[in-house]
Amino acid sequence: FYVGVVKTLNGEKVVLNLNYNIVTEKMVFMQNNQIFDITSQSIIDTVFIEGRKFVTHGKLFYELLANGEATFFIQHKGSVKIPSKQVGYGGTSDVASTSYVSNMKLGNDRFRMEKATEIIIEPGSLYWIRIDGNLNLVNGKSSLLKIFSDKKTEVKKFMGRSKFDAENPDQINNL
């Protein structure tokens, strides 16, 4: 958790211990050693954590990376994965049988998982670009060419000059 600021639509600023839960996709805060979800997204303008800026989109928070003619957002997501099970001869298996089940609480949500098991959280962020009020999902080079169709030749030149990776947010931001 990091000390952050929640700025409301009426300009009020509230200082809280904040974090973003990528599994539940919820902004959370810690108060009296308990973790709570922020549930009043409709009155929040911006959340600032460690020099990063998050804005609301419905019930979600997107990180704002660039704001201009084209606004660039990251939707931080993640999924819980249980590590592979030990099986005979030193191997592992993702489908090995288990018999103990427990619950894991993340904010106000519960996830069912094996008892006393290590978990792996796999990030899987999505990238969004807003142009003229339209929010467009970036899912590869071709989607960027469609999003910036009026500047297609410039975009192709930029992608050709470097080893462009549409999964790298810094390279999308540079575009």
Side-chain angles (χ1 to χ4, degrees), residues 87-132:
V87 293
Y89 305 106
T92 60
S93 171
D94 288 332
V95 295
S97 175
T98 60
S99 57
Y100 299 103
V101 176
S102 185
N103 290 313
M104 175 177 71
K105 187 174 181 188
L106 294 171
N108 290 335
D109 295 331
R110 289 199 176 271
F111 290 89
R112 199 170 170 174
M113 58 182 285
E114 295 176 29
K115 190 173 185 178
T117 300
E118 183 181 311
I119 62 165
I120 298 169
I121 297 178
E122 291 185 342
S125 299
L126 298 176
Y127 307 114
W128 297 89
I129 294 177
R130 183 176 61 211
I131 296 181
D132 299 326

Side-chain angles (χ1 to χ4, degrees), residues 20 25 53-57 60-64 73-76 126 128 135:
Y20 187 77
E25 294 186 64
K53 188 175 184 179
F54 294 84
V55 295
T56 59
H57 181 76
L60 303 175
F61 286 88
Y62 289 177
E63 182 178 0
L64 177 65
F73 303 98
I74 297 180
Q75 178 184 355
H76 295 284
L126 298 176
W128 297 89
L135 201 57

